[in-house]
Amino acid sequence: MGMDQTSFPLPSPATRSAGLARLHAFLPRAGLTYAARRNEDALGHPHVSGLSPYLRHRLVTEAEVLSAVQSHYPTGADKFLAEVWWRTYWKGWLELRPGIWASYTQGLNAALNRVAVEAGLRLQWEAACGGATGIDAFDHWAQELVATGYMHNHARMWFASIWMFTLHLPWELGADFFLRHLMDGDPASNTLSWRWVAGLHTPGKTYLARPDNIARYTAGRFRPQGLATYASPLPMTSHPAPRAVPQGDDLPAGPAVLLITEEDLSPEFLLDAGLNPKAIAVLTASDARSPLATGPVATDFTDRAIKDCLHRLAAPNAPRFGKTELVALAEWAQATGAQAVVTPYAPIGPTARLLRDLDPLLLDRGMTLHRILRGHDRDAWPHATGGFFKFREGVMG
């Protein structure tokens, strides 16, 4: 079924200035208007901020958004503020339980192995990813995601529910589909949101997509038939006990280089803290999100965001290194004469894994890796030991 792509929001400029402009343009609607209409999946998505790709790459930071909204609305913006805090909560919750990410990647590999040998599963999975299931709403969202790198948050819950409980596809394949195509694809938010719909985050609590709810919040554009009428929780094991909260590293005393990653493209906070890098490089992880190819829209947004960061740092020609070039990155750092590599802290996910692999390569060359944690994360993550509402009480005092 073909889709009118003009009904989809086109990717915005992937720059910090564009993100800040979007934030300030949205402020008048961040209060009661957002609370009343945020769940509506309307054409062009006029009732949401569109900030998530900027927040995911920290072109604009959570702290900046929270501060701007709270300054504009001393009261009345709780719903929007909660959505920003959810992003921090998911990161903190996964950071304290890295085994959940390891379990997801193992489950994904197992599911992809099944796809390779089970023709029926492969056909179902391909139809779901291609928007060819015959479920009109689901197919629209699948095609929207691939075409634009975006899907409304409420639609993501409906989509995940249909994927698991109506189509009976492995949840890891759906989470991977999102992570490969979303401009705001975040390992923590994405993985844990899928687990929440599946009943794996809050044990036994699943999310069921209902035709009348979809019709209500899509203004009658869709009322899919044949959806599951019951969402049985998926088999699960108990959550691991939280590990100690990461504290990050201190800035080194000696000469250092700055390493940019897609996890934090506003590294000026390190310069403000006194870092004077001898050189700058980039470690890219877009192709490490999945064993499969990352979608071009998501990759393009990340690439343009990195270019914007390098432009702001007056380092447009900084070398880039990918997941197979860690040795070359370590050799480059050594050749600069630096004693350390400094990078903003990367939460659990593909980038963190690459940094973990880079660490011993640097040590072999007499260098150290310093992962600097932002104060926002250091203050908030210790509260992510249980549910969201307990977390929010902790961070809001």
Side-chain angles (χ1 to χ4, degrees):
M1 179 171 59
M3 294 290 172
D4 175 10
Q5 302 304 323
T6 61
S7 68
F8 297 152
L10 298 176
S12 300
T15 64
R16 174 167 166 77
S17 61
L20 291 172
R22 181 176 284 270
L23 167 61
H24 291 292
F26 180 72
L27 283 177
R29 294 178 286 130
L32 297 180
T33 300
Y34 175 82
R37 310 198 68 177
R38 66 192 179 94
N39 286 332
E40 296 179 27
D41 181 23
L43 294 176
H45 305 299
H47 308 306
V48 293
S49 70
L51 285 169
S52 58
Y54 301 95
L55 283 167
R56 185 267 175 269
H57 295 89
R58 280 188 162 164
L59 283 168
V60 179
T61 69
E62 296 92 330
E64 288 176 310
V65 174
L66 293 167
S67 176
V69 173
Q70 289 169 325
S71 295
H72 196 88
Y73 291 96
T75 61
D78 286 352
K79 288 294 185 181
F80 184 77
L81 292 171
E83 291 304 312
V84 180
W85 279 119
W86 266 104
R87 179 173 295 272
T88 300
Y89 167 69
W90 285 137
K91 284 187 177 182
W93 198 93
L94 189 61
E95 196 67 25
L96 300 185
R97 301 164 183 84
I100 295 292
W101 174 257
S103 177
Y104 157 69
T105 58
Q106 292 167 3
L108 174 60
N109 288 331
L112 289 172
N113 288 337
R114 287 183 57 199
V115 165
V117 298
E118 298 177 25
L121 176 62
R122 181 168 63 253
L123 290 174
Q124 289 178 299
W125 170 67
E126 290 174 345
C129 294
T133 67
I135 303 173
D136 57 0
F138 183 94
D139 291 346
H140 171 90
W141 295 320
Q143 294 183 31
E144 175 184 33
L145 173 57
V146 173
T148 71
Y150 182 78
M151 188 188 297
H152 187 280
N153 187 60
H154 204 171
R156 297 183 199 195
M157 295 194 298
W158 291 322
F159 187 97
S161 180
I162 295 170
W163 180 285
M164 289 183 281
F165 304 123
T166 297
L167 300 177
H168 302 292
L169 289 166
W171 75 267
E172 295 95 341
L173 291 178
D176 175 71
F177 178 54
F178 274 15
L179 196 58
R180 286 187 288 119
H181 290 285
L182 284 168
M183 290 186 294
D184 63 5
D186 174 79
S189 295
N190 186 61
T191 305
L192 298 178
S193 293
W194 274 83
R195 285 174 54 87
W196 183 86
V197 173
L200 299 176
H201 185 74
T202 303
K205 182 178 181 180
T206 56
Y207 179 82
L208 182 66
R210 301 179 186 275
D212 57 346
N213 185 259
I214 293 173
R216 174 186 175 187
Y217 287 109
T218 61
R221 287 187 296 136
F222 303 114
R223 187 185 289 272
Q225 302 302 305
L227 301 188
T229 57
Y230 180 70
S232 179
L234 301 185
M236 68 171 293
T237 58
S238 299
H239 296 152
R243 68 170 178 172
V245 180
Q247 296 299 307
D249 303 313
D250 295 327
L251 285 174
V257 295
L258 172 61
L259 183 62
I260 303 300
T261 76
E262 65 186 59
E263 301 301 322
D264 194 324
L265 295 176
S266 294
E268 290 90 344
F269 80 100
L270 296 174
L271 309 184
D272 294 340
L275 178 66
N276 183 22
K278 292 175 65 66
I280 297 173
V282 178
L283 175 60
T284 59
S286 291
D287 61 350
R289 295 184 189 181
S290 167
L292 304 177
T294 303
V297 178
T299 298
D300 179 65
F301 187 92
T302 299
D303 285 347
R304 289 186 287 121
I306 290 171
K307 288 179 181 177
D308 176 68
C309 175
L310 294 177
H311 174 75
R312 299 194 324 268
L313 295 174
N317 298 317
R320 295 196 188 197
F321 300 91
K323 65 180 182 180
T324 63
E325 299 170 310
L326 297 181
V327 171
L329 171 54
E331 291 175 345
W332 169 86
Q334 183 182 34
T336 67
Q339 298 173 357
V341 173
V342 176
T343 189
Y345 191 97
I348 293 296
T351 299
R353 185 175 68 246
L354 293 180
L355 291 174
R356 184 187 64 211
D357 294 342
L358 175 64
D359 196 9
L361 297 175
L362 294 174
L363 288 174
D364 288 344
R365 291 161 175 80
M367 305 181 69
T368 52
L369 177 64
H370 297 251
R371 287 161 277 206
I372 311 302
L373 189 64
R374 283 183 178 268
H376 174 84
D377 299 326
R378 183 182 296 108
D379 294 342
W381 288 355
H383 299 286
T385 55
F388 173 74
F389 296 104
K390 177 182 177 182
F391 166 82
R392 194 170 179 203
E393 288 178 2
V395 295
M396 297 293 287

